[in-house]
Amino acid sequence: MGRLNLLMSVLLSIFSVSIVLLPNLASAQLKTNYYANICPNVESIVRNVVNQKFKQTFVTVPAVLRLFFHDCFVEGCDASVIVSSTPGNTAEKDHSDNLSLAGDGFDTVIKAKAAVDSNSRCKNKVSCADILALATRDVIQLSGGPWYPVELGRLDGFTSKASNVEGKLPKPTFNLNQLNSMFASHGLTQADMIALSAAHSVGFSHCGKFSNRIYNFSPQNLIDPTLNKQYAAQLQGMCPRNVDPRIAIDMDPKTPRTFDNNYFKNLQQGMGLFTSDQVLYTDKRSKGTVDLWASNSKSFQNAFTTAMTKLGRVGVKTGRNGNIRFDCGRMN
């Protein structure tokens, strides 16, 4: 009986260890030189396409960045956000939270995929998910941010449903607890979350996403008291009441076309556009990190590259859980 109990406890411990390890098995297969013997020029092929798109429009930068975040936070980094809806399925991209994703992001990935597949050695051997991950690194560097090695080896997902998006993406009204909880569900720390929030350094937003902060914040304060008064007046000028909700403004009022640590300097001055931006400074639990990165660009860049690498491991598909799509916009 004693031996049986011992055997059972050993089996249970092995089982519990395997459960803990399972989520990491797929991401453990990622490596920076994954395509070295498959498609050795993949990085330069993707970079050339991204460079061309960047020259055409700066919107390429925030468009690709947001596409990557929105992809990874729903079903993992598997290019499921790029898939188009069909008569029998409403895809992720058509959920209300994704309708503001700029077309230039999708276009960049689709053009890069076509360029990769035009190389006979690479044809149908590089996933859309990996192309998106590479393009994201490239737009960050093109706009002044850090270069970092991208782990590769993801497959494209089999599922893209709008119903899976609900409640998976951070809202502009989130407080620190809500932000930390959502990011922690993907294995990301508070520091990762603060670093990734700096993607708003190059983004833009539609007026409706923050109008509550400048017109009807609360019965006591029509304007959010954590908002810089001059900045609030500026925002009211750009986004008058009843403005066309499609009107968009820069999220960083000072260096909107440079990926930099100015995002954190803006927070110090009460110039975070969303509640979820400004709370990083008003909540004492995160304020110290904001102060550090506002004064130390290198420290921020290191944290950002760490966070992007971790984000790129979220929900990765490998083996029989995915494939390489011939067309990023539809399932094979």
Side-chain angles (χ1 to χ4, degrees), residues 42 102 115 146 246 276:
V42 64
R246 291 169 297 183
S276 58

Side-chain angles (χ1 to χ4, degrees), residues 130-324:
D130 276 346
I131 288 171
L132 176 54
L134 286 169
T136 302
R137 186 269 313 278
D138 293 341
V139 297
I140 290 164
Q141 188 188 20
L142 279 170
S143 55
W147 182 93
Y148 55 92
V150 177
E151 295 178 340
L152 301 165
R154 300 165 191 79
L155 290 178
D156 299 322
F158 293 136
T159 306
S160 180
K161 293 183 180 299
S163 56
N164 291 340
V165 179
E166 195 59 43
K168 298 283 175 61
L169 297 167
K171 296 192 182 301
T173 53
F174 270 13
N175 61 32
L176 193 70
N177 288 345
Q178 291 168 309
L179 288 167
N180 278 338
S181 175
M182 181 167 283
F183 279 72
S185 71
H186 298 299
L188 299 164
T189 64
Q190 176 174 287
D192 296 328
M193 179 272 291
I194 299 169
L196 293 171
S197 296
H200 289 170
S201 167
V202 287
F204 53 86
S205 170
H206 296 96
C207 294
K209 293 289 182 187
F210 59 87
S211 60
N212 67 305
R213 295 190 73 205
I214 56 175
Y215 290 119
N216 56 347
F217 184 69
S218 72
Q220 293 77 30
N221 298 288
L222 294 181
I223 297 174
D224 183 341
T226 66
L227 198 55
N228 178 299
K229 286 184 170 58
Q230 287 164 306
Y231 185 45
Q234 219 180 319
L235 292 174
Q236 287 176 333
M238 291 185 283
C239 292
R241 286 181 189 274
N242 304 318
V243 70
D244 183 333
R246 291 169 297 183
I247 297 290
I249 67 156
D250 293 323
M251 296 198 72
D252 180 345
K254 295 188 174 174
T255 56
R257 294 190 167 217
T258 308
F259 186 96
D260 56 18
N261 67 333
N262 212 68
Y263 170 79
F264 301 108
K265 296 176 185 177
N266 289 338
L267 298 185
Q268 290 175 319
Q269 295 165 38
M271 297 170 71
L273 188 61
F274 293 162
T275 300
S276 58
D277 292 313
Q278 196 56 49
V279 75
L280 302 180
Y281 193 67
T282 55
D283 194 307
K284 63 181 185 295
R285 293 171 294 171
S286 46
K287 181 178 183 291
T289 306
V290 172
D291 284 333
L292 171 64
W293 291 343
S295 64
N296 190 327
S297 177
K298 190 67 190 159
S299 177
F300 157 59
Q301 290 194 352
N302 290 340
F304 183 79
T305 60
T306 296
M308 285 298 289
T309 302
K310 288 171 69 176
L311 176 64
R313 296 170 182 163
V314 171
V316 165
K317 309 295 188 296
T318 57
R320 286 181 294 182
N321 293 321
N323 63 10
I324 291 172

Side-chain angles (χ1 to χ4, degrees), residues 3-21:
R3 279 187 175 182
L4 186 61
N5 286 340
L6 180 63
L7 181 62
M8 287 296 290
S9 65
V10 168
L11 286 171
L12 279 170
S13 65
I14 290 170
F15 182 65
S16 62
V17 167
S18 69
I19 289 209
V20 171
L21 293 178

